[in-house]
């Protein structure tokens, strides 16, 4: 994506490939289609390896040596100006668009991006393009530049070394090709092994991406005279390659292992197109020789760099959504790419021969862009920040954000949110004297049909706070926590680390409250973490509150799609451990909660009522399995997915941007849980929403309800303790 124009008969094919690749990437980020559009980056890798190695080989052919200094200067002139300009633009706009904690994170991202090591930074932080739970960094796409620049730094050194060793006039092509083959094979083997075992690192690592660059590098050592094809054969081969690439864009999904095997089809298709162009009798005789694809290929670097920050920024600054928002992002991306190409890229590459007319034209375009945006803002002030974004009920069968921790590959098992996703402290441990524990629970009578519980004083207070938030036109000055205090500290993360996968045999593992009291078990996925804080606050002085939690698991046992079958095995083992533990300790109460997102991610692909029926069956099976060993089984409705606080909060902006709705699939799953026999169901919708509208804070206490898109903040969770106690008491639960 960062390679400059190349000469020779393959220019049109390369630019055509770039045009198709960058179009696929942008379409994926804007529309989520084609599902494999993100593989356009892999096409760029192959092309980059081909072009850069071709430059080195041709220099060796012409001059008998390779100048590393000249090579790196050319690369710097091509890459640095625009890359640094986009980083500067993002850093400049971040304080206006986001809260301090996110701005600080973006500043860190910018530093790594400037060092062209963003791929390792994001691998360590487990970021991904596919996490729909919260907005990614606007500089996340710089990971691919990191891979390329690391290749540009190391590969020429290896080439010079191998050329110096073999010597000779023509033997260097064979030697470089052999080196590329060796690097490619080693990298491919490592990629295949790492994609399953460590998908996050495999996605971002230069070591697992090097085979794509090496594939192009090996092809660049093939001399022009070695490919002798008739024009018709070249055309067929070229279009076969393009068809392979496009097919991969359409058929591959984020759930396919990346880079292996997802990138294989794109890499092979790109090679076929390039082979068809080797030794072609005329420039661009094979593929996509029209002026449009050629120009898009020329500005592809700018298109790639500008589009992703705009995609991330659009929901923050625009009140419009859907096609209108996409059109604005596309227009701005194209305008900025064209302007920066003529005003930044070409002048630097052509220096000292600056193209004055190009600079004048670009400057004029920039002025027109500013005037156009300013005019639109004046004519349609509602188009920009300040309006309300209310997520209406999703269409029946719509797919929600992925369950916490269960994100499509490449990070399905490593992107599980930390226990302190809301940057809060864990439940406190208290051990005052209490009555002796009850060795055998006495079952609490449970009704076979659910009856709504009238709001008590605590529930009314909660609703009043939410109504106040919905009516607010500005943010409270005393938000808890403040927008600048949402960082997750290492101490907080460590405090709840045992709850990510409770060890039942360790009595200290995820245990809170009074150790000498009767036991209450909170069984769930990461939704159970804040509920632990609620239960501990309500009952911790008298009861031992034991979290039997494990992130990224459908704890009721529904046959959910985890991405890969083997990823379900730890959840099966955890559920068995919990059942054994419950039968052993016979707790007073077992409270189960989990995200409903699993209900529309079933291996059966059931939707609508069929999905709800399958969820009900799983709930009932679990309740039947434990109810002989538990005083009362309580099922607590989880928080519904919405929007992350730091993604919708903007200094001086309207809190209406953070208002969301109740998805249809979530409401359906909640309602079917009311039908579970021999269990008490607690509807918590009023904790988050009023009449289907769900704000992100409460005016009663100024507390933010959720820090990420899904999980209740622990501050708010503790404030819910009186209402949970009221709901359980009104439901007949004896505590």
């Amino acid at each position: 994506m960062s390679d400059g124009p190349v000469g020779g008969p393959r220019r049109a094919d390369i630019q055509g490939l770039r045009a198709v690749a960058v179009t696929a990437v942008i379409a994926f980020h804007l529309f989520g289609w084609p599902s494999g559009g993100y593989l356009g980056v892999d096409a760029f890798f192959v092309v980059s390896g081909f072009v850069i190695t071709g430059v080195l080989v041709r220099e060796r052919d012409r001059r008998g040596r390779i100048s590393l200094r000249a090579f790196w200067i050319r690369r710097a002139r091509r890459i640095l100006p625009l890359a640094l300009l986009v980083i500067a633009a993002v850093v400049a706009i971040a304080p206006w668009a986001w809260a301090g904690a996110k701005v600080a994170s973006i500043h860190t991202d910018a530093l790594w991006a400037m060092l062209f090591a963003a791929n390792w930074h994001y691998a360590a932080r487990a970021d991904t393009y596919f996490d729909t739970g919260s907005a990614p960094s606007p500089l996340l796409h710089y990971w691919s530049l990191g891979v390329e620049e690391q290749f540009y730094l190391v590969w020429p050194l290896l080439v010079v070394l191998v050329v110096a060793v073999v010597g000779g006039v023509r033997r260097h092509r064979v030697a470089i090709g052999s080196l590329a083959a060796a690097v490619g094979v080693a990298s491919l083997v490592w990629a295949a092994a790492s994609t399953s075992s460590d998908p996050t690192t495999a996605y971002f690592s230069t070591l697992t991406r090097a085979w794509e660059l090496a594939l192009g590098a090996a092809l660049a050592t093939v001399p022009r005279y070695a490919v002798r094809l008739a024009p018709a054969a070249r055309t067929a081969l070229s279009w076969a390659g393009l068809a392979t690439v496009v097919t991969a864009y359409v058929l591959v999904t984020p759930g396919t292992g990346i880079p292996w095997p997802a990138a294989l089809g794109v890499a092979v298709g790109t090679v076929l197109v390039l082979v068809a162009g080797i030794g072609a009798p005329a420039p661009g005789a094979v593929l996509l020789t029209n002026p449009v694809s050629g120009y898009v290929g020329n500005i592809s670097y700018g298109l790639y760099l500008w589009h992703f920050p705009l995609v991330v920024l659009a929901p923050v600054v625009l009140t419009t959504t859907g096609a209108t928002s996409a059109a604005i992002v596309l227009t701005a991306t194209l305008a900025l790419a064209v302007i920066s190409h003529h005003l930044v890229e070409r002048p630097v590459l052509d220096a000292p021969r600056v193209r004055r007319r190009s600079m004048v034209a670009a400057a004029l375009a920039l002025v027109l862009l500013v005037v156009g945006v300013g005019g639109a803002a004046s004519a349609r002030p509602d188009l920009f920040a300040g309006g309300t974004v209310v997520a209406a009920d999703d269409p029946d069968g719509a797919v929600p954000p992925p369950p916490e921790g269960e994100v499509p590959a490449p990070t399905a098992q490593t992107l599980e949110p930390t226990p302190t996703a809301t940057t809060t402290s864990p439940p406190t441990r208290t051990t005052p004297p209490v009555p002796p524990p009850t060795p055998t629970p006495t079952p609490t009578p449970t009704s076979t049909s659910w009856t709504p519980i009238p709001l008590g004083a605590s529930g009314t207070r909660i609703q009043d706070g939410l109504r106040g938030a919905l009516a607010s036109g500005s943010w409270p000055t005393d938000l808890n926590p403040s927008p600048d205090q949402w960082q997750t500290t290492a101490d907080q993360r460590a405090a709840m680390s045992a709850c990510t996968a409770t060890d039942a045999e360790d009595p200290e593992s995820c245990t809170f409250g009074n150790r000498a009291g009767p036991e209450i078990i909170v069984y769930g996925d990461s939704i159970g973490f804040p509920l632990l804080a609620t239960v501990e606050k309500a009952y911790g002085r008298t009861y031992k509150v034991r979290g039997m939690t494990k992130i990224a698991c459908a704890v009721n046992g529904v046959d959910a799609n985890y991405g890969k079958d083997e990823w379900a095995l730890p959840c099966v083992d955890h559920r068995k451990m919990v059942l054994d533990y419950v039968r052993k300790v016979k707790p007073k109460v077992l409270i189960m909660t989990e995200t409903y997102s699993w209900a529309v991610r079933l291996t059966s692909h059931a939707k609508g009522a069929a999905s709800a029926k399958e969820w009900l069956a799983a709930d009932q099976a679990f309740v039947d399995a434990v109810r002989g060993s538990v005083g009362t089984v309580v099922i607590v409705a989880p928080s519904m997915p919405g929007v992350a606080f730091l993604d919708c909060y903007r200094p001086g902006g309207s809190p209406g941007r953070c208002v969301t709705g109740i998805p249809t699939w979530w409401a359906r799953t909640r309602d079917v849980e009311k039908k579970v026999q021999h269990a008490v169901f607690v509807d918590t919708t009023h904790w988050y929403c009023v009449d289907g509208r769900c704000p992100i804070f409460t005016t009663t206490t100024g507390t933010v309800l959720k820090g990420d898109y899904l999980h209740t903040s622990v501050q708010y969770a503790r404030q819910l303790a009186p209402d949970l106690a009221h709901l359980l008491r009104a439901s007949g639960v004896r505590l």
Side-chain angles (χ1 to χ4, degrees), residues 404 523-531 555 591-599 615 619 634-642 662-663 665-671 673 681-689 694 706 709-712 720:
E404 88 303 320
Y523 176 51
D525 54 10
S526 66
I527 296 294
F529 297 165
L531 185 60
V555 297
I591 302 174
M592 181 172 71
T593 189
E594 62 187 313
T595 177
Y596 288 159
S597 297
W598 294 113
W615 186 267
D619 270 0
V634 178
I635 299 176
V636 175
S639 55
M640 68 286 296
I662 302 176
W665 56 266
W666 187 94
R668 181 190 303 114
T669 310
R670 173 201 60 192
D671 291 343
E673 286 204 312
F681 177 75
V682 174
D683 187 357
T684 62
T685 309
H686 67 283
W687 288 358
Y688 309 100
C689 308
C694 314
K706 289 187 285 188
Y709 78 107
L710 182 63
H711 299 83
T712 307
L720 298 172

Side-chain angles (χ1 to χ4, degrees), residues 5 24 34 102 138 160 216 246 322 342 344 364 378 387 433 464 470 493 507 550 564 587 597 621 638 666 684:
K102 185 151 187 169
V160 169
V246 172
H342 293 287
V344 179
L364 178 61
S378 300
D464 290 343
L470 290 171
R493 194 158 46 240
K550 182 172 175 57
K564 292 186 177 181
S597 297
W666 187 94
T684 62

Side-chain angles (χ1 to χ4, degrees), residues 364-581:
L364 178 61
L366 181 59
V367 171
L368 292 175
L369 178 64
V370 172
V371 172
V373 173
S378 300
R380 287 281 309 280
D382 61 308
L383 193 62
F384 295 90
T388 300
V389 177
V390 180
D393 286 357
D394 290 352
D396 194 47
V399 178
E404 88 303 320
E406 198 288 305
V407 183
T411 55
Q413 292 298 295
T414 57
L415 265 192
E416 298 154 336
T418 60
T420 52
T422 51
T423 66
T424 52
S425 55
T428 55
R429 301 174 186 270
T430 56
T431 56
V434 293
T438 304
T440 303
T442 302
T444 299
T446 56
S447 62
T448 57
S449 61
W450 183 78
T451 302
I453 303 298
L455 291 180
S458 56
T460 300
R461 187 167 183 263
I462 289 172
Q463 286 280 282
D464 290 343
L466 300 183
R467 286 193 178 90
L470 290 171
S472 296
S474 61
W475 292 97
T477 57
D478 57 347
L479 272 175
N480 176 32
S482 70
D484 294 333
Q485 294 177 336
W486 280 94
Q487 298 94 332
T488 300
T489 67
D491 290 343
Q492 291 168 347
R493 194 158 46 240
M496 286 288 281
S497 60
C499 295
T500 62
T502 304
D503 179 5
E505 297 302 317
D506 179 2
E508 297 297 318
S509 178
C510 201
T511 302
F512 307 97
N514 190 328
R515 310 304 181 83
E519 188 157 333
I520 299 174
I521 288 178
V522 176
Y523 176 51
D525 54 10
S526 66
I527 296 294
F529 297 165
L531 185 60
L532 272 168
T534 307
V535 175
E536 191 271 343
K537 181 69 173 178
Y539 301 107
R541 293 184 61 84
T542 304
Y543 291 88
K544 177 170 75 172
V545 179
R546 187 79 194 271
M548 285 289 151
T549 50
K550 182 172 175 57
I551 55 178
C553 286
V555 297
N556 66 353
V558 73
D559 190 7
N561 180 6
Y562 289 87
K564 292 186 177 181
D565 291 342
E566 57 266 31
W567 289 344
L569 296 180
C571 298
V572 173
D573 293 340
H574 180 79
R575 188 161 50 253
K576 182 179 183 301
M577 178 195 71
V578 171
L579 289 172
D580 291 342
Y581 181 79

